[in-house]
Amino acid sequence: SGNRSDYYGSGGGVSAQSNSGRLTLTNNTFKDNYVYGLGGGGAFVNSAYGTITLTNNTFSGNRADFYNNPYGYAYGGGAYVFLSTMGAADIYNNIFYDNFTNTVGNSGEDLYIYSNGDPNDTIETPVNLFNNDLGLNANLVTAMSEDLVVTDIDKYSQGNNIQADCLLTPDFHLQAGSLCIDAGNNSALFLPGTDFEGEPRIMNGVVDIGADEFLVCLDNDSDGYGNPGDASCPNGSATDCNDSDASINPGAPDSICNGVDNDCDGTPDD
């Protein structure tokens, strides 16, 4: 967060390139990054002959500005994906929201994908865009709009994307009621087992969109304490050491001499 690339720059938060193979960004957060140059306020990713995969990242509040650069334009305030020859892009479960460029018109403020790198237009570049959150001014059908641009849509596929404020906290967490909760795709390539903080990635059967997985209280014995512990549980974030017995939890008395750690403090009968 808060990075900057000046003059002729690309990729305020990160700039990554791979000639072949797979270039993957997973579980990253990009916020308040800035680029003076070609574009990619949050990230600029480039592949000539390989596949770019973006899975469960969050891009918010990033900016691409053409001021004082020789191009006269800047694209992709959130992310700029550059398929320079015959690459491909798989983009699943990401938040691209509230990013900005100062280029008027169809600048892909949230996401710009340059997908016609073959000058003879004889090689099509597949672009798969599924289960992402983009700005309200993204035209997902034509992919030529203020918030989303895909320059060649001959092999462009999209579906199950949403356009909504995902109710992010300043530290990238989803809040209750967010439309990004349980709205991702469990079949996304390179879906991580945990979120950006190392917490379980799928909490309610369906993965969330973005870098954060909204935690829900897993309380099997209905005593108000979860395992793992979480602030969403009625009795707070302490972990229930035996979630199959409602008489054993962090709030239970432990005065009975039964050899059991009833209050989950690690010491039986204290």
Side-chain angles (χ1 to χ4, degrees):
S1 297
N3 299 291
R4 176 168 172 161
S5 177
D6 286 329
Y7 197 61
Y8 292 93
S10 57
V14 65
S15 181
Q17 178 173 337
S18 175
N19 187 57
S20 60
R22 188 178 293 273
L23 194 162
T24 302
L25 296 180
T26 301
N27 271 354
N28 297 285
T29 57
F30 300 89
K31 184 174 176 62
D32 296 334
N33 299 290
Y34 196 95
V35 63
Y36 280 125
L38 178 61
F44 180 91
V45 284
N46 173 19
S47 182
Y49 298 97
T51 299
I52 292 172
T53 300
L54 306 182
T55 303
N56 284 101
N57 301 284
T58 295
F59 298 83
S60 178
N62 303 285
R63 177 182 175 120
D65 197 327
F66 67 78
Y67 174 74
N68 200 32
N69 81 51
Y71 304 111
Y73 56 82
Y75 297 138
Y80 191 128
V81 175
F82 189 80
L83 304 175
S84 56
T85 305
M86 53 182 294
D90 294 316
I91 302 174
Y92 287 76
N93 302 348
N94 302 278
I95 294 174
F96 302 98
Y97 198 84
D98 198 28
N99 301 285
F100 178 77
T101 76
N102 67 344
T103 301
V104 177
N106 299 328
S107 61
E109 289 195 328
D110 286 321
L111 177 62
Y112 187 94
I113 302 174
Y114 183 85
S115 56
N116 56 342
D118 174 23
N120 299 316
D121 199 27
T122 58
I123 301 173
E124 304 296 344
T125 52
V127 174
N128 298 308
L129 186 71
F130 288 88
N131 298 83
N132 301 280
D133 175 50
L134 294 106
L136 301 179
N137 294 317
N139 189 320
L140 292 160
V141 177
T142 67
M144 186 59 63
S145 57
E146 180 180 339
D147 287 342
L148 170 67
V149 167
V150 180
T151 59
D152 186 336
I153 61 172
D154 286 347
K155 283 197 172 183
Y156 164 64
S157 300
Q158 68 88 20
N160 299 320
N161 298 289
I162 64 173
Q163 295 173 265
D165 182 348
C166 274
L167 305 180
L168 289 173
T169 66
D171 57 355
F172 309 107
H173 292 95
L174 300 173
Q175 300 182 72
S178 170
L179 294 179
C180 286
I181 296 172
D182 299 340
N185 187 320
N186 289 357
S187 298
L189 293 172
F190 296 97
L191 181 70
T194 59
D195 71 0
F196 79 118
E197 292 181 312
E199 295 169 337
R201 175 41 84 179
I202 300 178
M203 292 294 297
N204 197 35
V206 180
V207 66
D208 296 344
I209 295 176
D212 178 51
E213 188 78 10
F214 183 74
L215 290 178
V216 296
C217 182
L218 301 177
D219 181 13
N220 293 321
D221 59 10
S222 302
D223 60 4
Y225 294 92
N227 189 329
D230 182 69
S232 64
C233 295
N235 288 326
S237 59
T239 296
D240 191 341
C241 58
N242 187 337
D243 205 26
S244 62
D245 188 336
S247 69
I248 301 175
N249 60 66
D254 198 16
S255 57
I256 303 173
C257 293
N258 59 0
V260 176
D261 180 18
N262 292 85
D263 61 359
C264 296
D265 67 352
T267 304
D269 302 332
D270 56 350

